[in-house]
Amino acid sequence: MKLLRDIWLIFQRQMTLVLRNPVWVIVGIIQPLYYLLLFAPLLKKALTQAGAHTDADVYRLFVPGILVMLAIFGTFFVGFALIAELRAGVIERSRVTPVSRLALLLGRSLRDVVSLLVQCLIITLLSIPFGLKARLGDMLLAYLLLGLIALMLSALSYGIALKLRSEDALAPLLNTVGQPILLLSGILLPLALAPGWLQGIARWNPFSWAVDAARALFDGHPGDASVWKALIILGVLTIASVTWTARSFARSIR
Amino acid sequence: MIETRGLRKSFRARKGTVEAVRGVDLTVQAGEIFGFLGPNGAGKTTTLRMLATLIVPDGGDATIAGADLRRSPGEVRRRIGYVAQGGSTWDTVTAREELVLQARLYGIGKAQARQRAVKAIEGFQLGEFADRKCQTYSGGQRRRVDIALGIIHSPQVVFLDEPTTGLDPQSRAHLWDEVRRLRAEGMTVFLTTHYLEEADALCDRVAIIDYGQLVAEGTPDALKREVAGDVVTVGLNGAAPRAAQLLDGQPYVRQLEPIDQGLRLYVDAGATAIPHILRTLDGAGLSLGSIELHRPSLDDVFLTKTGRSLREE
Ligand SMILES: Nc1ncnc2c1ncn2[C@@H]1O[C@H](COP(=O)(O)OP(=O)(O)OP(=O)(O)O)[C@@H](O)[C@H]1O
Ligand SMILES: [Mg+2]
């Protein structure tokens, strides 16, 4: 119970910080709109090759991809905020209290998950007029998947930030890791269009499983093998990254 | 209240290892203001961070407020407060919000946390700005908030890392009063400083640390008495090396240290030594810029123990 209380305290403070920063709030809302309004028309032609004939088809392929992409890129860079907090001394101030070290991480990650899911909700709702249709149960499962991606990547990002402790080192590292993940996830275009060797590599990318699963769910096939596979893969990775970073929080931090 | 035995810590740096703390044995009594005095890089912060459970010592043990540092760091955390050398607040929240959160992180309930914040705001006179965002505070205001945060849970011991560095004399005096108030409330205060006057005026006892090791420990008066005798400072534009040769080994000079543009001499009694000094220098045709007699300060303690001055930085 102490853990839950501590998570809630940290989460509340982190949420306050976000909401007090108007730039973040505006960017957070505009970013999804921009994906939706600028990207979708661009991809329409390309996606017809992959079997999308109507607007609704396009959105059914495109929206899940965009949501996964947002989950990756909206959370993978949260480590920067932690470096600022390390510098301000607020982490050290929390660490001398008996607060749970796991809560120091999960309170922050929960903030990231919540902000992401709000953005995803905006995109989903706005896509309905364009012909997107999906069942509530499938949607909830898809959101669980997105939440896992966000939790795992934000924890990973915080863990890397704690190790590097400098923005100058963090930026290139995150970019180098992030780019191939994105390119090989089949987000922008389905990997069915890719040559065989590329598909082979992509099979090792957990996010390409996530994208397949999200597309299956938006297509109304919760029983598709990709769904449970993605949930298990991401579940395991999330536990691993949370454990790793929570231990960094417990150990010494300059 | 605090007892350490052989506390040590080294860091791996790019160029080999830095032995930041090399075996520190300290005893701090309950209810005293204990000063940890030393130059930059002496190992003050590292020692404090070990005692505050932020980093794990490489060797040695410590007991703080009855809790064992190695075996029960959680218990230590509950009994101590720690105020870091840098700041400790978020920019866009207010001091009141920070105080409430900090109390709650110590497990205090919501209503009581609010009450404690109100009390702290009164006690540290934060009322004027407590509901403004922290980024708007002056250096002195910020420091008072930091300390208020460090003791919001009424710890038995509070560690203050350079509480007055960078403050103007007025804010410093104000902060000294706050620290004395903490002692009056029964708290044990362990602070670091590199201001000699601060150690002298504020602290009941001081320990002097240099290169990770203690070089002296005691009340400021006892330490100064150890140096014994008087201190004569002579200003000697450029002739210092020659004068040092002449004076070194004279029976009335106990110790001699070169300083900027002159010499500092430790003598048994200034009144009898000064005529000798003047005669010796005059006999060699050296012209004297100035001569000054004073009681030993903590800087003299540091100088006699290490051969360097704390003031030179
Ligand atoms: N995390 C670290 N990694 C590497 N070296 C460190 C680390 N922390 C401290 N040091 C080194 O250990 C030594 C002692 O540092 P410390 O911060 O304890 O000094 P200090 O007495 O507090 O100095 P100051 O008066 O400047 O605050 C210094 O040489 C410092 O560079
Ligand atoms: Mg220091």
Side-chain angles (χ1 to χ4, degrees), chain A residues 254, chain B residues 11-13 18 20 38-46 85 162 194:
Chain A
R254 176 68 188 172
Chain B
F11 294 104
R12 248 171 311 164
V18 184
N40 285 127
K44 303 183 294 293
T45 300
T46 306
Q85 187 169 353
E162 304 203 7
H194 50 224

Side-chain angles (χ1 to χ4, degrees), chain A residues 5 9-10 13-14 16-17 20 85 88-90 92-93 95-99 101 108 252-254, chain B residues 49 52 54-55 77-78 82 84 87-90 92-93 97-98 101-102 104-108 133 149:
Chain A
R5 177 182 179 275
L9 287 173
I10 303 291
R13 166 51 51 91
Q14 292 294 328
T16 308
L17 294 173
R20 289 225 177 129
E85 291 189 306
V90 292
E92 191 144 292
R93 193 186 100 205
R95 274 184 8 102
V96 288
T97 74
V99 70
R101 268 95 256 260
R108 286 180 169 78
S252 61
I253 302 170
R254 176 68 188 172
Chain B
R49 294 181 81 234
L54 289 167
I55 48 177
R77 276 180 206 127
R78 263 182 282 280
Y82 169 79
S88 64
T89 52
W90 275 283
T92 52
V93 292
E97 289 170 321
E98 289 287 50
L101 174 67
Q102 192 70 0
R104 303 213 63 205
L105 291 181
Y106 276 104
I108 296 167
K133 291 183 180 173
L149 285 167

Side-chain angles (χ1 to χ4, degrees), chain B residues 20-66:
Chain B
V21 177
R22 305 185 294 166
V24 164
D25 300 293
L26 276 177
T27 306
V28 178
Q29 309 296 335
E32 71 180 356
I33 300 178
F34 187 86
F36 210 30
L37 181 67
N40 285 127
K44 303 183 294 293
T45 300
T46 306
T47 307
L48 242 61
R49 294 181 81 234
M50 284 193 277
L51 296 177
T53 76
L54 289 167
I55 48 177
V56 180
D58 292 340
D61 287 298
T63 333
I64 301 152

Side-chain angles (χ1 to χ4, degrees), chain A residues 155-225:
Chain A
L156 189 64
S157 184
Y158 289 135
I160 295 173
L162 286 178
K163 282 273 178 295
L164 298 181
R165 295 172 195 169
S166 119
E167 284 101 343
D168 296 342
L170 189 62
L173 185 81
L174 290 185
N175 272 318
T176 316
V177 178
Q179 290 301 346
I181 286 181
L182 180 69
L183 291 176
L184 287 180
S185 62
I187 286 173
L188 296 176
L189 296 173
L191 276 168
L193 299 176
W197 62 271
L198 207 55
Q199 288 184 18
I201 297 179
R203 207 163 297 139
W204 291 97
N205 181 350
F207 299 103
S208 78
W209 288 95
V211 174
D212 286 347
R215 290 208 167 114
L217 287 168
F218 272 72
D219 207 14
H221 300 297
D224 195 279

